[in-house]
Amino acid sequence: SGNFIRGCTFSPDGLCVLTCTASDNLFRLYNTPCTSSYEAIIDGVEMKSPCPTPCERSLEDTVGKECNKPSAPNNGHGTETPKILPWNSALTAKEGDSVRDYKWYPLMSSCDPSSCIFLSSSREQPMHLIDAYDGSIRCSYRAYDDVDAIEAASSVTFSPDGQRIVAGFNRCVKVFHTAIPG
């Protein structure tokens, strides 16, 4: 159907994965599993006790440790075969046109909902700061070309401290202050 994943990126705290698909311009956010990096706990799989919430765990706490994994059948060699199930997205957010680039806010922490945002750039649209909890657009950043038409950024990123957005355009780079949308 031509709907392939254009990119995939981990959140700075390592607890979420963000993807974007080509033909429907949908962002999909997935929570990372709370088991080792080789297995996955999937939505809908009943566990003996719940995994810790993102605020109760960190990536360092979960890598290499088990957290109520589903049972897997024996493969005949005395070891269990890992049960691989598809992930289910926790959130979807639609962008207006084909997505060119997106980046997580560098200080994002799942324990602080106000920091759970990512920046998106799409064709013929201003840059959008999107809420990773509900998929809403928190604010927009507009750039204008030499005839005062909105110009879409080809690439976007945050400064390491999250105070500025650096965006690449046709033959120029523009800098925006994160605290001053418009």
Side-chain angles (χ1 to χ4, degrees):
S1 69
N3 198 23
F4 56 91
I5 294 177
R6 294 182 58 109
C8 179
T9 182
F10 275 93
S11 62
D13 66 1
L15 299 177
C16 302
V17 175
L18 182 65
T19 67
C20 183
T21 47
S23 68
D24 61 5
N25 305 315
L26 255 175
F27 288 106
R28 289 177 176 84
L29 182 119
Y30 301 88
N31 293 318
T32 57
C34 66
T35 63
S36 73
S37 59
Y38 304 106
E39 302 172 39
I41 298 287
I42 308 305
D43 295 342
V45 173
E46 192 169 321
M47 297 179 289
K48 293 178 184 170
S49 63
C51 290
T53 65
C55 295
E56 296 170 342
R57 67 184 174 109
S58 68
L59 187 60
E60 291 80 21
D61 292 337
T62 59
V63 172
K65 296 181 182 177
E66 295 181 354
C67 175
N68 308 316
K69 65 180 179 179
S71 62
N74 189 304
N75 66 6
H77 300 289
T79 59
E80 289 185 357
T81 304
K83 187 174 184 179
I84 300 173
L85 300 171
W87 287 17
N88 295 318
S89 61
L91 171 88
T92 59
K94 184 151 179 69
E95 190 57 273
D97 209 329
S98 62
V99 175
R100 292 184 171 177
D101 198 10
Y102 57 97
K103 294 288 186 290
W104 282 103
Y105 178 64
L107 305 177
M108 182 271 191
S109 168
S110 294
C111 296
D112 179 10
S114 68
S115 73
C116 294
I117 51 179
F118 60 92
L119 183 66
S120 166
S121 172
S122 61
R123 191 173 74 101
E124 298 181 3
Q125 300 283 319
M127 294 173 286
H128 293 139
L129 202 58
I130 300 174
D131 189 303
Y133 267 75
D134 64 15
S136 65
I137 296 174
R138 285 205 192 163
C139 62
S140 297
Y141 301 89
R142 292 173 180 82
Y144 297 94
D145 63 14
D146 55 349
V147 293
D148 288 334
I150 289 183
E151 186 176 21
S154 297
S155 60
V156 294
T157 194
F158 285 95
S159 61
D161 63 3
Q163 303 260 335
R164 288 177 300 286
I165 294 167
V166 180
F169 296 86
N170 187 20
R171 293 180 280 179
C172 72
V173 173
K174 297 180 182 180
V175 178
F176 302 81
H177 290 279
T178 308
I180 306 172

